[in-house]
Amino acid sequence: MGKMINKPLVLTYLYLFIYILLSSGVILYNKWVLSPKYFNFPFPITLTMIHMGFSGAVAFLLIRVFKVVAPVKMTFEIYATCVVPISAFFASSLWFGNTAYLHISVAFIQMLKALMPVATFITAVMCATDKLRCDVFSNMLVVSIGVVISSYGEIHFNIVGTAYQVTGIFAEALRLVLTQVLLQKKGLTLNPITSLYYIAPCSFVFLFVPWYLLEMQDMEVSQIQFNFWIFFSNAICALALNFSIFLVIGRTGAVTMRVAGVLKDWILIALSSVIFPESTITGLNIIGYAIALCGVVMYNYIKIKDVRASQTQPDSIPERITKEWKLEKKSSDPFLPSKGSDNNGGRNGGNSPTADPTVDEEAPLVPSSRFYYAGRTQFKQPF
């Protein structure tokens, strides 16, 4: 009996370790490739297009050649009204996010990413998928104050890099809300492979225009030596991260992913200061980020509490944990809530769910709403 319990537990921790390793690795790898002080490939749009082209090609092989998964029934109307706008914001978020690496440190970027719940909440309220609530608004205010303090304490503060990162965060928030509003209402179910298959090529096309206008001529003039193995390994890491998240959320729930994400951020801040010595971390940075993190934790707590309050839980705590774990194991739909959890059209009075703001921006092709819906049918909460 002990072995039966320990084996899945060990696998879960192994998947979490792989997720944290890959997520941190992809961010540090991108910074190393783009930074003029290291590999010196200052073309973030080109790097993003390489990721999109590689991911789209792998997805095509898995679906059309090896037939690992079947393609969904995609109509032109759904593609034009859903996939295209989502891909546009997805491409924008990656473009702006990767460009920020040229101007600000990895540690400061992770601190700015604490604004993700704020951006998602504002976007959800504007799109009428969530309601303005005092308790959530106060938490968002705490997060914002923390980020401002952290920014004030940044020694190498750069307004251009900060603007790029914040713009990328809001582009990602729009993508999350659009995913919830458009794809879910159409009843479209996408797993990580099919989402890569449809979204990556479209994002590649969107990135072509800014690449042609902003980077193509500079690449010709600078005569950059293209190292195939560097870019190939970088693209593989980015692709592997997408699948590692899918493995983790298949074995755990949204709460575990949030904890893993927070742990990953702290590890990344510490690692980046060691690997990139020029990124100095000040005491004010840490204090500001800690304040922002408190706001994020409280926001997550409110969302979980709202969901639990709407459910009756007569079982004892051990029985409830067992049932929640089994339900998490059964969750396999990465885009849609279960039928039983969406009888109210995704709304529950003033506690309507919003897209999950805890998505890993390095792997947004994995439907981030899965982070919310993986736990929604069990403990109701809210990339």
Side-chain angles (χ1 to χ4, degrees), residues 29 52 175 249 251 283:
Y29 203 167
M52 294 299 95
R175 185 193 73 85
I249 60 182
R251 299 192 64 89

Side-chain angles (χ1 to χ4, degrees), residues 28 32 38 270-279:
L28 294 171
W32 182 81
Y38 297 96
L271 275 178
S272 64
S273 63
V274 175
I275 297 174
F276 306 110
E278 69 276 7
S279 58

Side-chain angles (χ1 to χ4, degrees), residues 46-334:
T46 306
L47 183 65
T48 308
M49 289 179 72
I50 291 171
H51 289 175
M52 294 299 95
F54 182 77
S55 298
V58 171
F60 178 84
L61 290 174
L62 292 175
I63 291 176
R64 295 297 181 184
V65 179
F66 299 106
K67 301 188 186 300
V68 175
V69 294
V72 300
K73 294 181 180 179
M74 179 69 68
T75 65
F76 177 79
E77 188 256 338
I78 292 177
Y79 193 87
T81 59
C82 298
V83 175
V84 170
I86 288 171
S87 300
F89 284 110
F90 172 56
S92 300
S93 69
L94 290 182
W95 167 20
F96 293 129
N98 283 336
T99 304
Y101 288 122
L102 296 176
H103 305 280
I104 54 180
S105 67
V106 172
F108 186 49
I109 285 174
Q110 293 308 117
M111 295 175 190
L112 288 175
K113 283 180 181 179
L115 285 172
M116 193 66 210
V118 179
T120 308
F121 178 67
I122 292 173
T123 307
V125 171
M126 291 176 63
C127 295
T129 62
D130 203 354
K131 293 183 179 180
L132 187 61
R133 298 169 50 187
C134 291
D135 54 353
V136 176
F137 180 77
S138 61
N139 286 322
M140 298 301 97
L141 197 60
V142 171
V143 173
S144 302
I145 291 172
V147 172
V148 169
I149 293 173
S150 182
S151 301
Y152 184 76
E154 177 65 17
I155 294 177
H156 305 292
F157 181 81
N158 183 290
I159 188 65
V160 175
T162 304
Y164 269 118
Q165 183 59 44
V166 173
T167 304
I169 287 171
F170 274 90
E172 177 63 11
L174 280 167
R175 185 193 73 85
L176 293 174
V177 174
L178 280 178
T179 297
Q180 182 186 15
V181 172
L182 298 179
L183 282 180
Q184 290 176 14
K185 284 189 175 180
K186 296 290 184 180
L188 185 63
T189 303
L190 296 178
N191 60 41
I193 298 176
T194 50
S195 63
L196 285 168
Y197 179 73
Y198 292 109
I199 295 175
C202 190
S203 297
F204 183 92
V205 173
F206 273 110
L207 289 167
F208 181 81
V209 175
W211 173 80
Y212 181 81
L213 296 174
L214 301 175
E215 291 189 359
M216 188 182 75
Q217 289 185 344
D218 289 340
M219 290 182 70
E220 292 175 351
V221 172
S222 59
Q223 296 180 342
I224 295 290
Q225 290 185 351
F226 190 86
N227 189 316
F228 171 80
W229 293 110
I230 291 291
F231 293 103
F232 180 68
S233 60
N234 184 257
I236 285 181
C237 288
L239 183 67
L241 176 58
N242 281 278
F243 292 115
S244 74
I245 293 179
F246 184 63
L247 286 174
V248 170
I249 60 182
R251 299 192 64 89
T252 65
V255 175
T256 306
M257 283 301 298
R258 290 172 189 281
V259 174
V262 170
L263 179 62
K264 181 262 298 183
D265 288 340
W266 283 108
I267 291 173
L268 198 49
I269 289 171
L271 275 178
S272 64
S273 63
V274 175
I275 297 174
F276 306 110
E278 69 276 7
S279 58
T280 307
I281 300 175
T282 66
L284 209 53
N285 281 146
I286 299 298
I287 292 171
Y289 184 61
I291 292 172
L293 201 59
C294 287
V296 174
V297 170
M298 285 304 299
Y299 170 79
N300 292 338
Y301 173 74
I302 288 174
K303 287 295 181 181
I304 295 170
K305 189 175 70 172
D306 287 343
V307 175
R308 284 179 173 171
S310 65
Q311 294 180 333
T312 56
Q313 298 286 357
D315 299 321
S316 64
I317 292 177
E319 290 174 340
R320 192 185 315 157
I321 292 173
T322 303
K323 287 185 177 181
E324 288 173 352
W325 182 78
K326 288 180 178 178
L327 284 169
E328 286 177 353
K329 288 282 289 177
K330 290 180 180 179
S331 291
S332 58
D333 187 347

